[in-house]
Amino acid sequence: MSILRDFERRLGNLVEGFFATTFRGGLQPVELAKRLIREMDAGKTVGVREVWAPNRFVFSLSPADGERYEQAEQALVAELKQVVRDAAAERGWGLVGPPEVELEIDDELGKGKLRCEVSFAEGEPESIPVTPQPMSEASLVLYEEDKPATVFRISKQSVILGRLPECDVVVPDPGASRRHARIHADGADYVLSDLGSTNGTLVNDESAGEVMLHDGDRITIGTTVLEFRRA
């Protein structure tokens, strides 16, 4: 895994081989980094629009390992925080605040053993660079009684559906609000959000405040039905 290789390379450069000579037979720094990534994956929560990973990690070490780490603790903690950022960016996970990493001693742990407690610590989120994904083609098909279907291509990051003429998708229905709903691209997916409309929005006959759309989903606004299609 490139994240772990980069971690070992950066840490080795910072402490000039300190860990290579001091930690033979003991707890290796890369073991903390591996555990951190596993805990992020195990503790992540999945929302409609984003996956959130834990950002606070408290490692408990044995007295022997803790004493050895003490000389390079600041460098190790800084690099473990970078592992959190790298893992989140690589996997597209969100963080509710900046990474927090602490090391503490547990007298009951033997040499080479560790524990890790994880949690979500809110704070000012850090900007995590994510490689933008190209939008896949999608469209809405508007069905009106006694009229041919109208196809609206979704070619922008966000489109507004509503009764106003300036909306991207004009819904000529008295049950539609002026700005009724929004569809926006979230990576390769599309999410529909009701904009506080008077009569609400249905997706497949179910009330929808915010929902991810799939090919063939039928969106009802008033008595008007629009079909969401993926290319």
Side-chain angles (χ1 to χ4, degrees), residues 97-185:
E100 299 180 16
V101 177
E102 293 183 14
L103 306 182
E104 62 180 26
I105 305 301
D106 187 333
D107 293 332
E108 297 183 358
L109 288 176
K111 183 178 179 180
K113 303 296 183 181
L114 78 152
R115 285 202 309 270
C116 181
E117 294 184 3
V118 303
S119 59
F120 293 83
E122 292 188 9
E124 190 64 30
E126 295 184 333
S127 176
I128 300 176
V130 178
T131 303
Q133 296 176 302
M135 290 175 57
S136 56
E137 290 189 13
S139 60
L140 289 171
V141 182
L142 171 63
Y143 296 100
E144 296 181 80
E145 189 175 352
D146 300 327
K147 291 184 181 181
T150 304
V151 178
F152 297 91
R153 297 290 179 188
I154 301 177
S155 57
K156 302 192 304 182
Q157 194 73 20
S158 177
V159 297
I160 301 297
L161 293 71
R163 204 173 66 247
L164 288 176
E166 57 263 33
C167 288
D168 301 292
V169 179
V170 178
V171 182
D173 189 305
S177 295
R178 292 183 298 171
R179 290 169 55 87
H180 195 101
R182 177 173 69 110
I183 295 176
H184 69 276

Side-chain angles (χ1 to χ4, degrees), residues 55 106 131 165 194 203 213:
N55 64 311
D106 187 333
T131 303
D194 185 88
V203 174
L213 295 172

Side-chain angles (χ1 to χ4, degrees), residues 2-194:
S2 61
I3 292 176
L4 297 176
R5 287 198 302 269
D6 290 343
F7 165 77
E8 290 186 298
R9 175 182 52 77
R10 291 194 308 266
L11 194 60
N13 291 339
L14 282 172
V15 299
E16 299 180 347
F18 172 80
F19 288 106
T21 57
T22 308
F23 277 79
R24 290 173 184 167
L27 184 66
Q28 299 299 313
V30 71
E31 295 179 53
L32 276 70
K34 288 179 179 178
R35 179 66 173 270
L36 187 152
I37 295 173
R38 289 201 304 269
E39 294 290 351
M40 290 180 72
D41 186 44
K44 67 182 183 293
T45 61
V46 181
V48 173
R49 297 169 55 185
E50 191 160 13
V51 176
W52 298 96
N55 64 311
R56 176 173 169 76
F57 306 85
V58 179
F59 287 97
S60 297
L61 312 177
S62 71
D65 289 323
E67 182 179 352
R68 295 184 178 112
Y69 275 118
E70 185 177 2
Q71 298 180 50
E73 181 175 340
Q74 289 186 341
L76 176 61
V77 166
E79 291 307 323
L80 287 172
K81 290 179 180 179
Q82 188 59 45
V83 169
V84 177
R85 299 184 188 98
D86 291 345
E90 183 179 273
R91 293 159 174 77
W93 296 336
L95 301 174
V96 298
E100 299 180 16
V101 177
E102 293 183 14
L103 306 182
E104 62 180 26
I105 305 301
D106 187 333
D107 293 332
E108 297 183 358
L109 288 176
K111 183 178 179 180
K113 303 296 183 181
L114 78 152
R115 285 202 309 270
C116 181
E117 294 184 3
V118 303
S119 59
F120 293 83
E122 292 188 9
E124 190 64 30
E126 295 184 333
S127 176
I128 300 176
V130 178
T131 303
Q133 296 176 302
M135 290 175 57
S136 56
E137 290 189 13
S139 60
L140 289 171
V141 182
L142 171 63
Y143 296 100
E144 296 181 80
E145 189 175 352
D146 300 327
K147 291 184 181 181
T150 304
V151 178
F152 297 91
R153 297 290 179 188
I154 301 177
S155 57
K156 302 192 304 182
Q157 194 73 20
S158 177
V159 297
I160 301 297
L161 293 71
R163 204 173 66 247
L164 288 176
E166 57 263 33
C167 288
D168 301 292
V169 179
V170 178
V171 182
D173 189 305
S177 295
R178 292 183 298 171
R179 290 169 55 87
H180 195 101
R182 177 173 69 110
I183 295 176
H184 69 276
D186 184 6
D189 298 315
Y190 288 87
V191 177
L192 179 139
S193 302
D194 185 88

